[in-house]
Every structure is written in C-alpha cells, then in structure tokens.
C-alpha cells in the first residue's frame, strides 16, 4: 500500500444545509485521476464518498473520504470547508480486486 500525505491548501464547498461538495478539479487531484477518467468513473457510479462528524477533541471538524477502486482520499475538513490535512492511499490489493470485478485492464487506474 502506498500512502502520500500532502499539505496543499484546498477547500471544499458547503451548502446552506451543511452538505459538503468536492469540486471536480479537487476530486481529480485528490484521487490522482485525469478529469476525463474521473468523469467516466463518476458516471458509472464508481466513486464513493463518506462524511464523518468529529467528536470530542475533533468537534467542529469532519472527515471526508473519497474511494474509487484502490484509490482512497481522506481529508480532515474544518466547518468552513478548509482542508486541514489530507492523505491519499493507493491499495494495490483492493485495486486488483476492483479490476477483477469490473473486468478492466487497468488503463487509467
């Protein structure tokens, strides 16, 4: 498994009801996918997301997770949408399983 940590200054959007939205350019960069490939995978429903609310000492922060095949992006985000920290993980075993299920050769993965 390959893990990369970054210190880029990123923001995600948050609507009036408090839901987060990750802009396409940020998502493409976070998952290390070219924009066209990201659009294709989004269209096929292959990108999954999750939001967790910080508790205790993490109150006021959120953990956003994006997963696509063996690619995983976790970000700690403040309530205003500022990305405090992010980690990209590339899990080769998970990617291989995903490729078997989806019958892909790995091009663009």
């Amino acid at each position: 498994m390959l893990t990369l940590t970054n210190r880029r200054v990123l923001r995600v959007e948050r609507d009036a009801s408090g839901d987060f939205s990750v802009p396409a350019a940020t998502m493409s960069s976070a998952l290390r996918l070219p924009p066209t490939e990201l659009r294709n995978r989004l269209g096929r429903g292959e990108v999954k997301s999750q939001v967790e609310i910080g508790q205790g000492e993490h109150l006021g922060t959120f953990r956003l997770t994006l997963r696509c095949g063996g690619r995983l992006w976790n970000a700690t985000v403040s309530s205003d949408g500022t990305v405090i920290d992010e980690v990209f993980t590339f899990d080769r075993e998970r990617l291989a399983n995903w490729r078997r299920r989806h019958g892909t050769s790995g091009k663009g993965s």
Side-chain angles (χ1 to χ4, degrees):
M1 183 176 341
L2 171 68
T3 301
L4 303 172
T5 56
N6 298 312
R7 297 285 181 225
R8 299 180 292 173
V9 177
L10 295 175
R11 291 185 56 80
V12 296
E13 298 168 6
R14 197 156 185 214
D15 65 20
S17 65
D19 292 331
F20 287 98
S21 174
V22 180
T26 299
M27 193 180 302
S28 177
S29 174
L31 290 172
R32 281 34 175 210
L33 287 171
T36 302
E37 182 67 19
L38 175 65
R39 275 192 301 278
N40 290 339
R41 290 181 183 213
L42 283 167
R44 294 190 303 257
E46 296 173 6
V47 179
K48 306 296 181 195
S49 64
Q50 180 179 348
V51 177
E52 298 170 84
I53 300 170
Q55 302 292 317
E57 67 183 73
H58 302 287
L59 197 61
T61 64
F62 302 82
R63 183 179 337 172
L64 305 184
T65 301
L66 295 176
R67 182 182 301 278
C68 182
R71 301 163 188 270
L72 177 71
W73 180 71
N74 284 305
T76 303
V77 180
S78 67
S79 59
D80 72 354
T82 302
V83 174
I84 299 166
D85 194 24
E86 65 173 332
V87 176
F88 172 77
T89 304
F90 186 77
D91 186 331
R92 293 179 191 280
E93 183 177 336
R94 187 178 184 96
L95 179 60
N97 291 336
W98 181 87
R99 285 180 178 162
R100 281 192 289 276
R101 283 193 314 274
H102 290 85
T104 64
S105 64
K107 184 177 180 183
S109 295

